Amino acid sequence: MQEANHYRIFLSPPYQGGEELKYLTKALESNWLAPGGIYVKQFEEKLKEITNRKYCVALNSGTAAIHLALKVLGVSAGDYIICQTFSFVATANPIAYQGAFPIFIDSEKETWNMDPELLEEAIIDLRKSNIRPKAIIYTHIYGNPAKVDELINISEKYQIPIIEDAAEALGASINKRSIGQFGVVSILSFNGNKVITTSGGGALLTDDLYLSERALLLSNQARDEKKPYSHVEVGYNYRMSNISASLGMAQISHLGEWVNRKRRIFETYQKINARRTIFYWTEDKLGIYSNRWLSVFLIESMEKRDKIIEALRNMRIESRRLWQPLHLLAIFKGQKSYISGVANDLFTNGICLPSGVGLKNEEQDEIIQLIKSIN
Ligand SMILES: *Cc1c(COP(=O)(O)O)cnc(C)c1O
């Protein structure tokens, strides 16, 4: 593995819209360097507006948001949580924090997200062993909207609350309804590699006042303002800082513009092979709007995929394989899973190509020429 700074063109580096310093300066001048503060409130308002949610709690990571989502839904040690296997490890780690067990579900081929049919099969099968999962976590992987109607129907039919991991998908939508409103609790991430960054951060979204108040309390060491120092339960230090939120405010006004740019980058790669003999990808079906957080494709063979990664690396250009399915990780070995092979195929043949908002046209041309030169 090469050093990260070896690269000339990164996969998805942070991008600045130009107002970051202005906002940061104002935050510093206010001297509110602690968690909470005016920009945290403003950022929460913005996120509520974009996602059409009633409540938002800004946190210091997306992982913290998933952890609190499980906490507020009452997940405790020994519970079972259904989780999409084709996701980043942060989706499942908080299940382990709670001492609960993940049950991994494979993806469908169309959106690469949790397969609703397999989900229902799993729920029915688990009932035979008297296992009633406490929650379902699904992801919109690489910003591709999942089959939310089907997933939500199943969650309602079996009364298992659904957590939407929208960490990669801010700016994506389904029938003009923004991602982030399709979970009892939904979460966002503002890590450095995501569409919008606060240099590290996350948010929890919900329409349920009680859940939002619980999340806020737990994010702040369970400090009850009305009863100073009487921490009645174990809390966390998960609140977003005012400094981070000031960066978020500078970034968020560019969301639409940056998603457009990412979509154009994706479309340019797509043209490498219009006949689809080399590249396969997820399509935006009617009403579906992916944010194309990363430009991801399947290559006809693993050997060819590895050759492309190697050739790009030699030119100091970063590219990567797709996420390794979580049920294959040693840390989750032996956990229950319902597997059809789709996630494994994606892992075997997939590639993420440079997709940063700041990617120059000449740079993308160079990448495309390199890829075309490989047989
Ligand atoms: C980035 C990411 C997270 C975690 O977010 P952090 O802010 O990095 O903690 C969770 N789930 C998915 C799918 C992600 O890509």
Side-chain angles (χ1 to χ4, degrees):
M1 217 41 200
Q2 305 272 12
E3 289 289 325
N5 61 11
H6 165 84
Y7 292 116
R8 191 161 53 85
I9 302 174
F10 288 95
L11 196 63
S12 183
Y15 189 75
Q16 294 192 28
E19 301 212 284
E20 282 77 2
L21 194 57
K22 194 180 96 190
Y23 275 91
L24 255 181
T25 307
K26 280 201 219 158
L28 290 170
E29 281 168 359
S30 78
N31 203 31
W32 193 304
L33 309 181
I38 180 80
Y39 284 122
V40 174
K41 284 274 161 287
Q42 283 182 15
F43 192 47
E44 287 173 342
E45 288 304 315
K46 270 271 179 250
L47 295 173
K48 274 158 48 176
E49 203 180 291
I50 291 168
T51 58
N52 195 25
R53 299 298 313 236
K54 283 199 186 131
Y55 308 103
C56 174
V57 182
L59 300 166
N60 55 20
S61 75
T63 311
I66 297 172
H67 190 193
L68 289 187
L70 295 173
K71 285 288 293 185
V72 301
L73 291 173
V75 173
S76 53
D79 284 338
Y80 286 90
I81 306 297
I82 289 181
C83 180
Q84 180 165 325
T85 194
F86 190 58
S87 193
F88 178 50
V89 70
T91 307
N93 276 340
I95 300 171
Y97 302 167
Q98 282 308 97
F101 302 110
I103 298 170
F104 294 110
I105 306 283
D106 216 324
S107 293
E108 31 82 12
K109 284 187 179 148
E110 213 172 286
T111 80
W112 301 358
N113 294 302
M114 188 179 283
D115 181 341
E117 281 178 29
L118 208 50
L119 170 65
E120 186 161 23
E121 271 176 48
I123 294 171
I124 293 168
D125 183 59
L126 289 163
R127 292 202 156 189
K128 292 183 202 144
S129 351
N130 249 327
I131 294 175
R132 288 172 188 258
K134 260 291 184 52
I136 299 164
I137 311 179
Y138 75 99
T139 306
H140 304 287
I141 205 72
Y142 301 116
N144 293 329
K147 297 199 169 185
V148 292
D149 286 343
E150 289 92 328
L151 295 174
I152 290 172
N153 279 342
I154 294 166
S155 103
E156 285 174 352
K157 181 171 168 188
Y158 296 95
Q159 302 205 342
I160 307 170
I162 206 155
I163 299 171
E164 177 189 26
D165 181 347
E168 302 176 358
L170 188 59
S173 59
I174 300 174
N175 295 323
K176 301 219 153 52
R177 293 179 66 201
S178 168
I179 292 302
Q181 60 186 296
F182 302 108
V184 171
V185 180
S186 301
I187 75 95
L188 300 171
S189 165
F190 307 106
N191 188 25
N193 61 354
K194 303 287 157 69
V195 184
I196 295 295
T197 185
T198 59
S199 89
L204 181 148
L205 301 156
T206 181
D207 293 333
D208 186 311
L209 176 64
Y210 171 75
L211 296 182
S212 75
E213 285 183 339
R214 286 280 303 146
L216 182 62
L217 183 78
L218 289 169
S219 73
N220 198 15
Q221 310 287 19
R223 186 172 72 199
D224 188 340
E225 302 297 343
K226 286 167 233 132
K227 290 173 261 165
Y229 299 119
S230 70
H231 304 266
V232 290
E233 62 184 306
V234 176
Y236 302 87
N237 182 5
Y238 279 173
R239 195 75 167 120
M240 181 178 278
S241 80
N242 203 39
I243 296 292
S244 297
S246 75
L247 284 173
M249 284 305 293
Q251 293 247 310
I252 198 82
S253 60
H254 296 279
L255 178 63
E257 179 197 326
W258 291 351
V259 167
N260 270 331
R261 175 70 189 129
K262 283 196 179 268
R263 288 173 58 87
R264 260 182 286 127
I265 290 170
F266 176 81
E267 284 158 15
T268 305
Y269 283 128
Q270 236 179 344
K271 289 188 205 124
I272 298 179
N273 191 330
R275 279 169 297 136
R276 306 190 58 167
T277 50
I278 300 177
F279 290 102
Y280 298 83
W281 53 77
T282 56
E283 307 258 14
D284 271 2
K285 293 274 158 63
L286 194 67
I288 301 296
Y289 189 82
S290 168
N291 73 358
R292 300 295 180 192
W293 168 55
L294 292 182
S295 283
V296 285
F297 298 94
L298 299 188
I299 307 293
E300 61 188 343
S301 74
M302 192 163 88
E303 293 70 29
K304 185 155 181 176
R305 191 267 324 276
D306 289 343
K307 271 194 198 168
I308 294 174
I309 290 179
E310 181 61 26
L312 291 171
R313 185 188 291 139
N314 287 339
M315 293 306 292
R316 295 167 53 218
I317 299 167
E318 184 183 20
S319 63
R320 286 193 201 167
R321 301 180 65 171
L322 306 196
W323 300 129
Q324 174 157 12
L326 300 176
H327 72 273
L328 296 179
L329 296 183
I331 50 171
F332 296 124
K333 201 174 169 204
Q335 304 296 337
K336 286 184 194 303
S337 47
Y338 292 83
I339 301 306
S340 59
V342 172
N344 199 38
D345 287 348
L346 296 170
F347 178 57
T348 306
N349 285 1
I351 191 169
C352 308
L353 295 172
S355 321
V357 172
L359 185 71
K360 297 191 183 75
N361 290 337
E362 311 87 81
E363 291 174 331
Q364 193 172 11
D365 285 346
E366 182 189 343
I367 294 164
I368 289 172
Q369 290 318 318
L370 249 172
I371 294 172
K372 280 184 167 171
S373 72
I374 291 161
N375 303 301

